[in-house]
Amino acid sequence: LRKKVSENKAETVNGSKQAVNGASLVRRDPTPALTKTKIAKPETSKELPPLEELKVLPSDEGFSWANENYSSWQRSIDVWSFVLSLRVHVLLDNAKWAYVGGFTEEKQKSRRRKTASWLRECVLQLGPTFIKLGQLSSTRSDLFPLEFVDELAKLQDNVPAFSPKKARGFIESELGAPINVLFKEFEDQPIAAASLGQVHRAILHNGEKVVIKVQRPGLKKLFDIDLQNLKLIAEYFQRSETLGGPTRDWIGIYEECATILYQEIDYINEGKNADRFRRDFRNIKWVRAPLVYWDYTAMKVLTLEYVPGVKINQVDTLMSRGYDRDRISSRAIEAYLIQILKTGFFHAVPHPGNLAIDVDESIIYYDFGMIGE
């Protein structure tokens, strides 16, 4: 499938400015039709509601990739050490002579589970680029053993967060104003952390509740280094019989991932995707996408309407609230049929971290960084 290429980045600003509580912010012209039909509903409460079971996310401070002065040579050594170690692990998992007491399928599955756990820890140590690739791999049971897929799926919502100080500084730098000028209230503790960014809740001065998606500092530099190595790794995998080189297009997978990674760090592009997706479903009440607040959005900071819901894989919670799982399933299928067969514009990362169910059983879509056409 051809992925949607990022639109002209020169459109992120247009030279006009808007005053927000006394501060001048760079403003991008939003699509007129969308701003006139703003769907945000007025809230009676002036405070952010407490989150159920809010997890304290692990910090990225112990990881070498979080250091802004990370050496490109050290990075290359770390990446290739991981690749060679993975090569040895896969070789031993598949070698019948390597099993004490004789080979059995049960022993192989047990060893693969250990390898998969080791793989997930290594991916976390390698940081954003590899975490993202691990998340993508967790949906590809056609490429990887089931044990690997199950373990990598844990990366979907258990990624280290960066400090509130970094987040605040990044927001202020991108939007050109202090946090207290931009927002009436800002929560330092992120409600979610992903491979490429994390999400904070806030309240605007007009009382509207929003979430701010903040990109991890230094991503572009890290991508540039990692993708040079990943190209060599893809060529190495392509030549490897053990890694299925002749039967898999590893170089094609690399090229697709490189396009996706650079596209996903352009939050202006993601905002445009969200606007188009919401416009496609404007007449279907049971599909929702958050409204983009363009006055508080830049290339690396994206502010969206706060639309909480129950993660689509939290089956026990859905059942305890009396939700109709058959109806939800039917709606999920129909929504994708509409995207693929009617609009030709579809959400390409439907893992549980990006799909939720609202109180009226509507399906909420999050994260429009990766879109297929």
Side-chain angles (χ1 to χ4, degrees):
L1 293 171
R2 178 175 64 81
K3 299 294 178 191
K4 184 175 184 291
V5 179
S6 180
E7 297 183 52
N8 188 350
K9 294 181 180 179
E11 292 182 4
T12 57
V13 297
N14 63 7
S16 63
K17 298 188 177 184
Q18 180 186 21
V20 177
N21 300 303
S24 181
L25 298 181
V26 177
R27 175 187 171 95
R28 175 189 174 277
D29 277 342
T31 306
L34 290 172
T35 53
K36 288 178 182 176
T37 56
K38 195 159 119 177
I39 60 172
K41 298 176 182 178
E43 299 281 355
T44 54
S45 173
K46 297 296 183 182
E47 298 179 354
L48 289 167
L51 288 176
E52 297 176 8
E53 301 177 1
L54 180 61
K55 295 185 295 184
V56 177
L57 298 167
S59 170
D60 70 354
E61 291 179 4
F63 295 94
S64 56
W65 48 263
N67 182 355
E68 293 182 14
N69 298 318
Y70 194 18
S71 162
S72 59
W73 282 106
Q74 183 61 50
R75 181 66 178 176
S76 297
I77 291 169
D78 291 346
V79 169
W80 279 99
S81 297
F82 159 70
V83 171
L84 295 175
S85 297
L86 176 61
R87 183 76 174 82
V88 171
H89 274 83
V90 171
L91 179 66
L92 293 176
D93 287 353
N94 294 329
K96 293 185 178 180
W97 55 264
Y99 291 83
V100 178
F103 172 84
T104 65
E105 288 188 0
E106 191 55 42
K107 285 183 179 178
Q108 186 182 47
K109 286 181 180 179
S110 176
R111 185 177 286 183
R112 275 183 175 169
R113 282 193 291 269
K114 291 178 182 178
T115 299
S117 179
W118 168 86
L119 173 62
R120 180 177 57 81
E121 288 300 320
C122 287
V123 166
L124 279 174
Q125 290 293 331
L126 286 170
T129 314
F130 288 84
I131 292 170
K132 186 65 184 180
L133 295 179
Q135 291 172 341
L136 295 174
S137 301
S138 73
T139 64
R140 296 300 302 272
S141 56
D142 58 322
L143 289 178
F144 304 101
L146 182 62
E147 295 83 4
F148 284 27
V149 169
D150 289 344
E151 195 68 27
L152 291 174
K154 296 176 183 178
L155 296 170
Q156 292 170 2
D157 58 2
N158 190 24
V159 179
F162 51 94
S163 70
K165 182 179 178 181
K166 280 185 180 179
R168 282 174 170 265
F170 212 61
I171 293 170
E172 291 178 347
S173 173
E174 283 292 300
L175 298 183
I179 286 287
N180 63 340
V181 171
L182 294 164
F183 308 107
K184 179 181 179 181
E185 187 177 323
F186 178 86
E187 282 188 348
D188 280 335
Q189 185 177 354
I191 61 171
S195 53
L196 310 184
Q198 66 190 35
V199 178
H200 294 259
R201 297 193 303 177
I203 298 177
L204 301 181
H205 285 280
N206 65 3
E208 293 186 50
K209 299 177 179 69
V210 298
V211 291
I212 303 109
K213 184 175 178 180
V214 190
Q215 193 173 116
R216 290 183 183 275
L219 270 189
K220 174 68 166 55
K221 178 184 175 182
L222 205 57
F223 281 1
D224 291 343
I225 299 169
D226 286 347
L227 288 169
Q228 289 177 1
N229 287 305
L230 284 168
K231 185 176 182 180
L232 298 174
I233 292 168
E235 292 169 352
Y236 169 61
F237 279 16
Q238 197 69 57
R239 295 190 297 269
S240 171
E241 292 279 346
T242 309
L243 295 165
T247 61
R248 294 193 176 101
D249 184 10
W250 290 111
I251 293 174
I253 292 170
Y254 156 77
E255 291 173 348
E256 189 81 345
C257 287
T259 301
I260 288 167
L261 287 171
Y262 281 119
Q263 181 179 317
E264 286 213 67
I265 59 174
D266 179 358
Y267 284 179
I268 295 291
N269 185 61
E270 181 175 343
K272 291 178 180 178
N273 289 340
D275 276 351
R276 180 174 169 184
F277 187 91
R278 191 175 63 257
R279 184 166 61 244
D280 286 345
F281 281 94
R282 62 190 178 277
N283 295 323
I284 299 175
K285 294 182 179 180
W286 45 266
V287 172
R288 294 198 179 132
L291 179 74
V292 180
Y293 287 83
W294 285 108
D295 294 335
Y296 303 85
T297 292
M299 189 71 75
K300 299 175 183 178
V301 173
L302 177 63
T303 301
L304 301 162
E305 175 189 9
Y306 178 48
V307 188
V310 179
K311 283 178 64 175
I312 201 166
N313 67 337
Q314 292 181 341
V315 179
D316 291 342
T317 304
L318 295 174
M319 290 179 66
S320 68
R321 296 185 181 183
Y323 290 178
D324 188 330
R325 292 168 60 196
D326 288 338
R327 183 184 296 125
I328 291 170
S329 298
S330 296
R331 285 177 170 178
I333 294 167
E334 187 176 348
Y336 262 95
L337 289 174
I338 291 169
Q339 292 170 57
I340 294 169
L341 300 179
K342 186 177 180 182
T343 68
F345 184 82
F346 63 92
H347 186 284
V349 274
H351 65 65
N354 290 337
L355 291 170
I357 306 302
D358 209 341
V359 290
D360 60 355
E361 298 182 0
S362 297
I363 299 171
I364 307 167
Y365 284 83
Y366 306 120
D367 192 349
F368 296 89
M370 195 195 308
I371 289 288
E373 280 197 285

